[in-house]
Amino acid sequence: QSALTQPPSASGSPGQSVTIACTGSNSDVGGYGFVSWYQQHPNNAPKLIIFEVTKRPSGVPDRFSGSKSGNTASLTVSGLQADDEAHYYCSSYAGSHSWVFGGGTKLTVL
Amino acid sequence: QPHLQESGPGLVKPSETLSLTCTVSGDTIDSRNYYWGWLRQPPGKGLEWIGIISNGGSTHYNPSLRSRINISIDTSKNQFSLRLNSVTAADTAVYFCAREITMIGFGVWGQGAMVTVSS
């Protein structure tokens, strides 16, 4: 298993949209339709915000959306708010009931 | 929502065994609907999946850690545990326990337990 690749940082002003990419391989992102995204605020546990590439758990605002093309998945945060400032991690099913994570992206709201 | 709580020593010596237990409340661990897992996060770094266990004791481990880890479950106590042997400084991390829904991910997490490997 190799970690998924994410940009270390991203930023946007309040109200704007930001997209974070997550690149894997045919063995994970490209091979399965099971990409999840997590939001983590400092000193907190991660929170699941997207699963199965595009779906949102109950209570997650529709400002958060996911997509996938080939070996790259993406998370888009629309209408940026101050509380969106956090680290975001992608994760993909990688076969044999295993998961692989990205290195994380720190989103800064300017 | 269930509550998950990690417990165990916060300091482990190099070459020894790290042991953590996750106690689940507000839900039965003896459910076919979920797996129960461990993940970790070294200071300032990203998340790493360690492994998972079913209520029946079926396990799946990260290949990079498989030779050193054991995850077990005690349904009578509503707990599951992690043992990681031959630890080094590279195993210093916050260790999280979490509930997994197959193919969906980890929807419920413990608060995390910091474990430092140092003599």
Side-chain angles (χ1 to χ4, degrees):
Chain A
Q1 288 185 337
S2 297
L4 307 177
T5 300
Q6 297 180 236
S9 63
S11 63
S13 299
Q16 288 186 331
S17 294
V18 171
T19 296
I20 299 170
C22 168
T23 301
S25 69
N26 291 332
S27 298
D28 37 65
V29 175
Y32 303 95
F34 302 108
V35 175
S36 303
W37 289 88
Y38 298 84
Q39 177 192 61
Q40 187 180 32
H41 287 107
N43 301 314
N44 278 278
K47 173 187 175 183
L48 180 67
I49 58 171
I50 295 286
F51 66 95
E52 290 182 356
V53 180
T54 62
K55 298 178 181 179
R56 289 185 308 278
S58 174
V60 175
D62 60 6
R63 300 186 298 103
F64 294 89
S65 62
S67 63
K68 190 187 82 157
S69 178
N71 294 338
T72 298
S74 299
L75 171 72
T76 297
V77 185
S78 305
L80 274 175
Q81 299 180 0
D83 190 53
D84 297 333
E85 186 161 296
H87 278 86
Y88 292 84
Y89 295 91
C90 63
S91 176
S92 175
Y93 182 74
S96 301
H97 210 146
S98 69
W99 293 92
V100 62
F101 280 81
T105 298
K106 181 177 181 179
L107 175 58
T108 300
V109 181
L110 302 171
Chain B
Q1 285 278 54
H3 179 73
L4 280 64
Q5 179 69 57
E6 305 88 350
S7 59
L11 181 64
V12 181
K13 290 182 169 56
S15 80
E16 295 191 346
T17 298
L18 178 159
S19 294
L20 292 170
T21 295
C22 182
T23 300
V24 180
S25 56
D27 189 17
T28 175
I29 202 171
D30 194 8
S31 168
R32 295 179 182 179
N33 296 325
Y34 306 112
Y35 272 76
W36 305 91
W38 290 97
L39 304 94
R40 69 181 182 179
Q41 185 171 35
K45 296 186 178 181
L47 294 163
E48 181 179 30
W49 176 78
I50 297 173
I52 54 173
I53 190 166
S54 71
N55 66 316
S58 174
T59 55
H60 301 273
Y61 296 148
N62 185 322
S64 69
L65 298 170
R66 181 175 291 133
S67 64
R68 297 197 292 132
I69 62 175
N70 180 266
I71 298 176
S72 59
I73 193 166
D74 187 337
T75 55
S76 67
K77 295 182 179 179
N78 232 35
Q79 294 176 334
F80 62 104
S81 299
L82 169 70
R83 288 175 60 84
L84 176 65
N85 58 39
S86 304
V87 297
T88 69
D91 295 310
T92 293
V94 175
Y95 285 76
F96 294 98
C97 61
R99 187 181 76 177
E100 186 228 48
I101 299 178
T102 303
M103 305 301 193
I104 287 180
F106 298 90
V108 183
W109 295 66
Q111 67 182 26
M114 180 68 206
V115 179
T116 301
V117 178
S118 175
S119 55

